[in-house]
Amino acid sequence: MPLIVGGGPAGAAAAIGLASAGLSPTILERSNGEQDALCGGFLSWNTVRQLADLGIDTALLGGHPVDRLALFAGKRTARFALPAPGVGLSRRTLDAAMLDAARQAGAEIRYGVTVRRVEPGTLYLADDSILRANRIVLATGKHDLRGMARPVVCDDPAMGLRWRFRASPALAERIAGAIELHLFDHGYAGLVMQEDGHANLCLAIRHSAFVAAGQRPEAVLAGLIDREPALRQRLDEEHPGPAQAIANVPYGWRATARDAHGLYRVGDQAGVIPSLAGEGVGIALATGTTAARAILEGEAPSAFQHDLARRLRRPIATASLLWHAAERPMLATAALPIIAHLPGVVERAMRMTRVSITQTSTNSPVLL
Ligand SMILES: Cc1cc2nc3c(=O)[nH]c(=O)nc-3n(C[C@H](O)[C@H](O)[C@H](O)COP(=O)(O)OP(=O)(O)OC[C@H]3O[C@@H](n4cnc5c(N)ncnc54)[C@H](O)[C@@H]3O)c2cc1C
């Protein structure tokens, strides 16, 4: 029976696809199921639709409806309608709902199991035991297994910082219904309301900017509140608390057939889209579902990975271009008033950074 390493959105989507077709996959998840993964916490309209196809209703989970994008650079602002509504939803709630759906479909979930190393057909666990399976799905997301590291081809790599906190009524009212992107030198911040009156503030910044702030997340945030008027307006009276951090995010990377090593790599292990696109979870769902279909149809891992790399090329390349432009403040500040008058161009960019999904005859969504 297939083994799935990692119980994030990609692993859970693969498990739902396999279990729904009558196989009995097992998810090996190193956490105890209580984690709240570092994430911008915005789910695009495309992601919401895929979740609905998997039987998960984000409105029932309390997702905060988001119908517009607000961009800020210096003192400039531009607002755009999203092609269709997305939601703000915490990863704690999303991941729990997905694992629940996988269990109900017939998957087994083993918590507290850490995989250290993998070879075709064999998994080596942290407790020194060994598991064997003909089909293995690698869904460890942001974490690389020994010997399977994704290269960070940049001397100033990106890192993520995240605060999730109860929003004051003033902040909740100010940002309601929007995904806000605040662009600044060497990075950007995403701000969105989520379920239960919490706000999620997530930064993707260059490592050099973190070093310049003494490698202290609270100093990074204080500096931004000092320099960026729109962030100051929103966060001056808030109490975000301690941050979560993740280093060396390999934005732009895609696994090729050579990287498959006999495994079906999905989610962030298949490709890492710059997070300002808000499509990482969408890619996780689409690739997890497509891996399930590949396994059911007997497609070899290398062929699966080759095909996936081709299909992920456009959204990841487009998002990488936008990311590089966004973190150059002079460019972003000059561009904002121009693109404010070109909502069609912005909508096209939003659409080009989505994974393209269709329904099969069995009604399960797959990557096209
Ligand atoms: C700063 C930042 C902001 C982002 N914002 C957004 C956003 O707003 N919207 C969006 O759609 N995407 C966003 N993303 C991207 C999104 O978080 C990822 O694309 C998505 O989480 C990938 O899902 P996954 O299932 O592949 O991996 P993950 O979500 O990382 O899940 C991997 C799972 O595997 C488990 N695991 C790891 N190692 C092992 C092991 N050795 N053994 C067993 N289990 C293991 C982990 O505990 C985890 O549960 C953001 C990313 C970053 C870095």
Side-chain angles (χ1 to χ4, degrees), residues 5-11 28-31 35 37-43 47 91 95 113-116 139-143 145 160-161 202-204 246 249 251 266-269 275 278-282 284:
V5 189
L28 308 172
E29 166 55 46
R30 69 176 185 176
S31 75
Q35 64 184 348
L38 185 154
C39 188
F42 165 70
L43 303 180
T47 307
R91 286 294 301 275
D95 291 13
V113 179
T114 300
V115 175
R116 283 269 180 259
T140 54
K142 300 167 180 73
H143 308 277
L145 293 190
L161 294 175
C202 194
L203 272 53
I246 182 157
V249 183
Y251 284 142
V266 295
D268 279 5
Q269 288 291 321
S275 41
E279 192 64 353
V281 173

Short mmCIF file of all heavy atoms in Angstrom, two decimals, residues 5-11 28-31 35 37-43 47 91 95 113-116 139-143 145 160-161 202-204 246 249 251 266-269 275 278-282 284, ligand 1:
data_model
loop_
_atom_site.label_atom_id
_atom_site.label_comp_id
_atom_site.label_asym_id
_atom_site.label_seq_id
_atom_site.Cartn_x
_atom_site.Cartn_y
_atom_site.Cartn_z
N VAL A 5 4.83 10.47 2.91
CA VAL A 5 5.65 11.09 3.96
C VAL A 5 5.26 12.56 4.06
O VAL A 5 5.55 13.35 3.17
CB VAL A 5 7.15 10.97 3.65
CG1 VAL A 5 7.97 11.43 4.86
CG2 VAL A 5 7.51 9.55 3.27
N GLY A 6 4.57 12.93 5.15
CA GLY A 6 4.16 14.31 5.36
C GLY A 6 2.66 14.47 5.24
O GLY A 6 2.06 14.06 4.24
N GLY A 7 2.05 15.07 6.26
CA GLY A 7 0.59 15.23 6.28
C GLY A 7 0.15 16.67 6.15
O GLY A 7 -0.84 17.08 6.76
N GLY A 8 0.86 17.46 5.32
CA GLY A 8 0.38 18.80 4.98
C GLY A 8 -0.65 18.69 3.85
O GLY A 8 -1.12 17.58 3.53
N PRO A 9 -1.00 19.82 3.22
CA PRO A 9 -2.03 19.78 2.17
C PRO A 9 -1.70 18.83 1.02
O PRO A 9 -2.59 18.14 0.50
CB PRO A 9 -2.09 21.22 1.66
CG PRO A 9 -1.53 22.04 2.77
CD PRO A 9 -0.55 21.19 3.52
N ALA A 10 -0.42 18.74 0.62
CA ALA A 10 -0.07 17.88 -0.52
C ALA A 10 -0.24 16.41 -0.15
O ALA A 10 -0.84 15.63 -0.91
CB ALA A 10 1.37 18.16 -0.96
N GLY A 11 0.29 16.02 1.01
CA GLY A 11 0.18 14.63 1.44
C GLY A 11 -1.27 14.23 1.66
O GLY A 11 -1.70 13.13 1.27
N LEU A 28 2.59 9.27 7.05
CA LEU A 28 3.52 9.35 8.18
C LEU A 28 3.78 10.83 8.45
O LEU A 28 4.32 11.53 7.59
CB LEU A 28 4.83 8.64 7.84
CG LEU A 28 4.68 7.21 7.31
CD1 LEU A 28 6.01 6.66 6.82
CD2 LEU A 28 4.10 6.30 8.40
N GLU A 29 3.37 11.31 9.60
CA GLU A 29 3.46 12.75 9.89
C GLU A 29 4.26 12.92 11.18
O GLU A 29 3.94 12.34 12.20
CB GLU A 29 2.04 13.32 10.03
CG GLU A 29 1.94 14.70 10.65
CD GLU A 29 2.79 15.77 9.97
OE1 GLU A 29 2.78 15.87 8.73
OE2 GLU A 29 3.48 16.52 10.70
N ARG A 30 5.30 13.73 11.11
CA ARG A 30 6.19 13.83 12.27
C ARG A 30 5.59 14.61 13.45
O ARG A 30 5.99 14.39 14.59
CB ARG A 30 7.52 14.44 11.86
CG ARG A 30 7.45 15.88 11.49
CD ARG A 30 8.82 16.43 11.18
NE ARG A 30 8.73 17.85 10.95
CZ ARG A 30 9.75 18.63 10.73
NH1 ARG A 30 10.96 18.13 10.70
NH2 ARG A 30 9.59 19.91 10.54
N SER A 31 4.65 15.52 13.18
CA SER A 31 4.07 16.28 14.30
C SER A 31 3.00 15.44 14.99
O SER A 31 2.63 14.37 14.50
CB SER A 31 3.46 17.58 13.79
OG SER A 31 2.23 17.29 13.15
N GLN A 35 0.05 21.21 14.89
CA GLN A 35 0.87 22.35 14.46
C GLN A 35 0.07 23.37 13.64
O GLN A 35 -0.96 23.05 13.05
CB GLN A 35 2.06 21.85 13.66
CG GLN A 35 1.69 21.16 12.36
CD GLN A 35 2.90 20.59 11.64
OE1 GLN A 35 4.03 20.89 11.98
NE2 GLN A 35 2.65 19.77 10.64
N ALA A 37 1.22 25.56 10.72
CA ALA A 37 2.39 25.79 9.84
C ALA A 37 2.55 27.26 9.49
O ALA A 37 1.56 27.98 9.32
CB ALA A 37 2.23 24.97 8.57
N LEU A 38 3.80 27.66 9.35
CA LEU A 38 4.10 29.03 8.90
C LEU A 38 3.56 29.17 7.48
O LEU A 38 3.91 28.41 6.58
CB LEU A 38 5.61 29.25 8.91
CG LEU A 38 6.12 30.65 8.59
CD1 LEU A 38 7.47 30.88 9.25
CD2 LEU A 38 6.21 30.91 7.10
N CYS A 39 2.72 30.19 7.26
CA CYS A 39 2.08 30.37 5.95
C CYS A 39 1.44 31.75 5.93
O CYS A 39 1.11 32.31 6.99
CB CYS A 39 1.02 29.28 5.75
SG CYS A 39 0.30 29.22 4.10
N GLY A 40 1.24 32.30 4.72
CA GLY A 40 0.53 33.57 4.61
C GLY A 40 -0.94 33.42 4.95
O GLY A 40 -1.63 34.39 5.25
N GLY A 41 -1.45 32.18 4.86
CA GLY A 41 -2.81 31.93 5.31
C GLY A 41 -3.89 32.46 4.40
O GLY A 41 -5.05 32.54 4.80
N PHE A 42 -3.52 32.82 3.15
CA PHE A 42 -4.52 33.21 2.17
C PHE A 42 -4.70 32.07 1.18
O PHE A 42 -3.71 31.55 0.64
CB PHE A 42 -4.08 34.49 1.42
CG PHE A 42 -4.88 34.73 0.17
CD1 PHE A 42 -6.21 35.12 0.25
CD2 PHE A 42 -4.32 34.56 -1.09
CE1 PHE A 42 -6.97 35.31 -0.90
CE2 PHE A 42 -5.07 34.76 -2.24
CZ PHE A 42 -6.40 35.14 -2.15
N LEU A 43 -5.93 31.65 0.95
CA LEU A 43 -6.21 30.59 -0.02
C LEU A 43 -6.91 31.22 -1.22
O LEU A 43 -7.97 31.85 -1.07
CB LEU A 43 -7.10 29.51 0.61
CG LEU A 43 -6.54 28.85 1.88
CD1 LEU A 43 -7.51 27.80 2.41
CD2 LEU A 43 -5.17 28.21 1.63
N THR A 47 -7.66 27.63 -5.10
CA THR A 47 -7.45 26.69 -4.00
C THR A 47 -8.79 26.34 -3.34
O THR A 47 -9.06 25.17 -3.03
CB THR A 47 -6.49 27.31 -2.96
OG1 THR A 47 -5.31 27.73 -3.64
CG2 THR A 47 -6.14 26.33 -1.87
N ARG A 91 -3.61 27.56 8.91
CA ARG A 91 -3.15 26.23 8.53
C ARG A 91 -3.53 25.19 9.57
O ARG A 91 -3.71 24.03 9.25
CB ARG A 91 -1.65 26.27 8.27
CG ARG A 91 -1.29 26.96 6.96
CD ARG A 91 -1.82 26.17 5.77
NE ARG A 91 -1.24 24.85 5.79
CZ ARG A 91 -0.05 24.54 5.28
NH1 ARG A 91 0.66 25.45 4.68
NH2 ARG A 91 0.43 23.31 5.36
N ASP A 95 -5.21 22.15 7.77
CA ASP A 95 -4.53 20.85 7.78
C ASP A 95 -5.34 19.81 8.55
O ASP A 95 -5.43 18.64 8.15
CB ASP A 95 -3.12 20.99 8.38
CG ASP A 95 -2.18 21.80 7.48
OD1 ASP A 95 -2.68 22.45 6.53
OD2 ASP A 95 -0.96 21.80 7.72
N VAL A 113 5.68 10.29 13.65
CA VAL A 113 6.61 9.42 12.92
C VAL A 113 7.48 10.30 12.02
O VAL A 113 6.97 10.95 11.10
CB VAL A 113 5.86 8.39 12.05
CG1 VAL A 113 6.85 7.52 11.29
CG2 VAL A 113 4.94 7.54 12.92
N THR A 114 8.77 10.34 12.29
CA THR A 114 9.68 11.15 11.49
C THR A 114 10.50 10.26 10.57
O THR A 114 11.12 9.29 11.03
CB THR A 114 10.64 11.95 12.41
OG1 THR A 114 9.85 12.80 13.24
CG2 THR A 114 11.61 12.81 11.59
N VAL A 115 10.46 10.57 9.29
CA VAL A 115 11.27 9.84 8.31
C VAL A 115 12.60 10.58 8.17
O VAL A 115 12.62 11.80 8.02
CB VAL A 115 10.54 9.77 6.95
CG1 VAL A 115 11.42 9.11 5.89
CG2 VAL A 115 9.23 9.01 7.11
N ARG A 116 13.68 9.85 8.26
CA ARG A 116 15.01 10.48 8.17
C ARG A 116 15.57 10.44 6.75
O ARG A 116 16.17 11.38 6.29
CB ARG A 116 16.01 9.73 9.07
CG ARG A 116 15.87 10.04 10.51
CD ARG A 116 16.77 11.23 10.91
NE ARG A 116 16.60 11.49 12.33
CZ ARG A 116 15.85 12.47 12.82
NH1 ARG A 116 15.22 13.31 12.02
NH2 ARG A 116 15.74 12.64 14.12
N ALA A 139 6.04 14.23 0.57
CA ALA A 139 5.24 15.45 0.79
C ALA A 139 5.71 16.16 2.05
O ALA A 139 4.89 16.61 2.84
CB ALA A 139 3.76 15.07 0.88
N THR A 140 7.02 16.25 2.24
CA THR A 140 7.56 16.86 3.47
C THR A 140 7.63 18.38 3.38
O THR A 140 8.11 19.03 4.30
CB THR A 140 8.96 16.30 3.81
OG1 THR A 140 9.80 16.47 2.66
CG2 THR A 140 8.90 14.83 4.16
N GLY A 141 7.14 18.95 2.28
CA GLY A 141 6.99 20.40 2.18
C GLY A 141 8.28 21.16 2.36
O GLY A 141 9.26 20.95 1.64
N LYS A 142 8.28 22.03 3.36
CA LYS A 142 9.41 22.93 3.57
C LYS A 142 10.64 22.20 4.09
O LYS A 142 11.71 22.78 4.18
CB LYS A 142 8.99 24.02 4.58
CG LYS A 142 7.81 24.84 4.11
CD LYS A 142 7.23 25.69 5.23
CE LYS A 142 6.04 26.51 4.74
NZ LYS A 142 4.82 25.71 4.51
N HIS A 143 10.48 20.93 4.49
CA HIS A 143 11.59 20.21 5.13
C HIS A 143 12.14 19.15 4.19
O HIS A 143 11.40 18.32 3.68
CB HIS A 143 11.10 19.57 6.43
CG HIS A 143 10.43 20.57 7.32
ND1 HIS A 143 11.12 21.40 8.16
CD2 HIS A 143 9.13 20.91 7.43
CE1 HIS A 143 10.26 22.20 8.76
NE2 HIS A 143 9.05 21.92 8.35
N LEU A 145 14.44 15.83 3.23
CA LEU A 145 15.03 14.62 3.81
C LEU A 145 16.50 14.55 3.44
O LEU A 145 16.93 15.15 2.44
CB LEU A 145 14.31 13.38 3.28
CG LEU A 145 12.86 13.20 3.71
CD1 LEU A 145 12.38 11.81 3.31
CD2 LEU A 145 12.70 13.39 5.21
N GLY A 160 11.04 33.20 5.67
CA GLY A 160 9.69 33.58 6.07
C GLY A 160 9.62 33.88 7.55
O GLY A 160 10.27 33.22 8.36
N LEU A 161 8.84 34.92 7.90
CA LEU A 161 8.56 35.24 9.30
C LEU A 161 7.05 35.37 9.41
O LEU A 161 6.41 35.98 8.55
CB LEU A 161 9.19 36.57 9.71
CG LEU A 161 10.72 36.66 9.73
CD1 LEU A 161 11.15 38.10 10.04
CD2 LEU A 161 11.29 35.71 10.78
N CYS A 202 2.55 37.78 7.46
CA CYS A 202 3.64 36.91 7.02
C CYS A 202 4.59 37.69 6.13
O CYS A 202 4.17 38.34 5.18
CB CYS A 202 3.04 35.72 6.27
SG CYS A 202 4.19 34.38 6.03
N LEU A 203 5.87 37.63 6.45
CA LEU A 203 6.89 38.33 5.68
C LEU A 203 7.73 37.34 4.91
O LEU A 203 8.09 36.29 5.43
CB LEU A 203 7.85 39.08 6.62
CG LEU A 203 7.52 40.51 7.07
CD1 LEU A 203 6.15 40.60 7.67
CD2 LEU A 203 8.58 41.00 8.05
N ALA A 204 8.04 37.68 3.66
CA ALA A 204 9.09 36.96 2.93
C ALA A 204 10.18 38.00 2.70
O ALA A 204 9.95 38.98 2.00
CB ALA A 204 8.56 36.42 1.62
N ILE A 246 11.26 30.62 9.11
CA ILE A 246 11.81 29.53 8.30
C ILE A 246 12.85 30.13 7.36
O ILE A 246 12.62 31.19 6.78
CB ILE A 246 10.69 28.78 7.54
CG1 ILE A 246 11.29 27.62 6.75
CG2 ILE A 246 9.93 29.67 6.59
CD1 ILE A 246 10.33 26.54 6.44
N VAL A 249 14.18 29.51 1.86
CA VAL A 249 13.04 29.05 1.06
C VAL A 249 13.47 29.07 -0.42
O VAL A 249 13.81 30.12 -0.95
CB VAL A 249 11.82 29.97 1.27
CG1 VAL A 249 10.62 29.44 0.48
CG2 VAL A 249 11.48 30.10 2.75
N TYR A 251 12.51 29.55 -3.43
CA TYR A 251 11.51 30.05 -4.38
C TYR A 251 11.99 29.84 -5.81
O TYR A 251 13.14 30.13 -6.15
CB TYR A 251 11.29 31.54 -4.17
CG TYR A 251 10.45 31.90 -2.95
CD1 TYR A 251 10.77 33.01 -2.18
CD2 TYR A 251 9.33 31.16 -2.59
CE1 TYR A 251 10.00 33.38 -1.09
CE2 TYR A 251 8.56 31.51 -1.49
CZ TYR A 251 8.89 32.61 -0.75
OH TYR A 251 8.14 32.98 0.33
N VAL A 266 5.56 15.83 -4.32
CA VAL A 266 4.38 16.69 -4.46
C VAL A 266 4.53 17.93 -3.57
O VAL A 266 5.42 18.00 -2.71
CB VAL A 266 3.08 15.92 -4.08
CG1 VAL A 266 2.83 14.79 -5.06
CG2 VAL A 266 3.17 15.37 -2.65
N GLY A 267 3.66 18.91 -3.78
CA GLY A 267 3.68 20.14 -2.98
C GLY A 267 4.99 20.87 -3.12
O GLY A 267 5.58 20.93 -4.20
N ASP A 268 5.50 21.40 -2.01
CA ASP A 268 6.77 22.15 -2.05
C ASP A 268 7.94 21.26 -2.42
O ASP A 268 9.01 21.76 -2.74
CB ASP A 268 7.04 22.78 -0.68
CG ASP A 268 6.29 24.08 -0.47
OD1 ASP A 268 5.48 24.43 -1.35
OD2 ASP A 268 6.49 24.74 0.57
N GLN A 269 7.77 19.95 -2.37
CA GLN A 269 8.83 19.04 -2.81
C GLN A 269 8.80 18.85 -4.33
O GLN A 269 9.71 18.23 -4.90
CB GLN A 269 8.71 17.68 -2.10
CG GLN A 269 9.11 17.75 -0.63
CD GLN A 269 10.62 17.98 -0.45
OE1 GLN A 269 11.42 17.43 -1.18
NE2 GLN A 269 11.00 18.79 0.54
N SER A 275 5.72 33.12 -2.61
CA SER A 275 4.46 33.07 -1.86
C SER A 275 3.57 34.28 -2.09
O SER A 275 2.40 34.22 -1.76
CB SER A 275 4.72 32.84 -0.38
OG SER A 275 5.82 33.57 0.07
N GLY A 278 0.24 33.55 -3.53
CA GLY A 278 -0.83 32.92 -2.76
C GLY A 278 -1.32 31.63 -3.41
O GLY A 278 -2.52 31.33 -3.39
N GLU A 279 -0.41 30.85 -4.00
CA GLU A 279 -0.85 29.64 -4.71
C GLU A 279 -0.13 28.38 -4.24
O GLU A 279 -0.29 27.31 -4.83
CB GLU A 279 -0.67 29.86 -6.22
CG GLU A 279 -1.32 28.85 -7.14
CD GLU A 279 -2.85 28.80 -7.07
OE1 GLU A 279 -3.45 29.46 -6.21
OE2 GLU A 279 -3.44 28.07 -7.87
N GLY A 280 0.71 28.48 -3.18
CA GLY A 280 1.46 27.31 -2.73
C GLY A 280 0.55 26.17 -2.32
O GLY A 280 0.79 25.01 -2.68
N VAL A 281 -0.50 26.49 -1.58
CA VAL A 281 -1.42 25.42 -1.15
C VAL A 281 -2.17 24.87 -2.36
O VAL A 281 -2.39 23.66 -2.47
CB VAL A 281 -2.39 25.93 -0.06
CG1 VAL A 281 -3.44 24.87 0.26
CG2 VAL A 281 -1.61 26.29 1.21
N GLY A 282 -2.49 25.75 -3.31
CA GLY A 282 -3.15 25.29 -4.54
C GLY A 282 -2.28 24.28 -5.28
O GLY A 282 -2.77 23.25 -5.75
N ALA A 284 0.04 22.46 -3.91
CA ALA A 284 0.10 21.26 -3.06
C ALA A 284 -1.10 20.35 -3.35
O ALA A 284 -0.96 19.13 -3.53
CB ALA A 284 0.15 21.65 -1.59
C1 LIG B 1 6.52 32.88 3.89
C2 LIG B 1 5.52 31.99 3.19
C3 LIG B 1 4.20 32.41 3.01
C4 LIG B 1 3.29 31.60 2.32
N1 LIG B 1 2.00 32.03 2.14
C5 LIG B 1 1.13 31.28 1.43
C6 LIG B 1 -0.22 31.72 1.24
O1 LIG B 1 -0.66 32.76 1.73
N2 LIG B 1 -1.05 30.93 0.50
C7 LIG B 1 -0.63 29.75 -0.06
O2 LIG B 1 -1.43 29.09 -0.74
N3 LIG B 1 0.63 29.30 0.14
C8 LIG B 1 1.52 30.03 0.87
N4 LIG B 1 2.78 29.58 1.10
C9 LIG B 1 3.17 28.27 0.54
C10 LIG B 1 2.60 27.12 1.34
O3 LIG B 1 2.85 27.29 2.72
C11 LIG B 1 3.23 25.82 0.86
O4 LIG B 1 3.29 25.81 -0.55
C12 LIG B 1 2.40 24.61 1.32
O5 LIG B 1 2.43 24.55 2.73
C13 LIG B 1 2.99 23.33 0.75
O6 LIG B 1 2.28 22.23 1.28
P1 LIG B 1 3.02 20.83 1.50
O7 LIG B 1 1.96 19.87 1.92
O8 LIG B 1 3.86 20.53 0.31
O9 LIG B 1 4.06 21.09 2.68
P2 LIG B 1 3.88 21.53 4.21
O10 LIG B 1 2.69 22.38 4.38
O11 LIG B 1 5.21 22.08 4.60
O12 LIG B 1 3.61 20.16 4.97
C14 LIG B 1 4.63 19.19 5.10
C15 LIG B 1 4.25 18.21 6.22
O13 LIG B 1 5.24 17.20 6.29
C16 LIG B 1 5.62 16.98 7.64
N5 LIG B 1 7.00 16.52 7.63
C17 LIG B 1 8.11 17.24 7.31
N6 LIG B 1 9.23 16.49 7.39
C18 LIG B 1 8.82 15.25 7.77
C19 LIG B 1 9.51 14.04 8.02
N7 LIG B 1 10.85 13.97 7.89
N8 LIG B 1 8.82 12.95 8.40
C20 LIG B 1 7.45 13.01 8.51
N9 LIG B 1 6.73 14.16 8.31
C21 LIG B 1 7.41 15.27 7.92
C22 LIG B 1 5.44 18.35 8.30
O14 LIG B 1 5.27 18.22 9.71
C23 LIG B 1 4.21 18.88 7.59
O15 LIG B 1 3.01 18.51 8.25
C24 LIG B 1 3.71 30.35 1.82
C25 LIG B 1 5.02 29.90 2.02
C26 LIG B 1 5.92 30.72 2.72
C27 LIG B 1 7.33 30.23 2.92
#
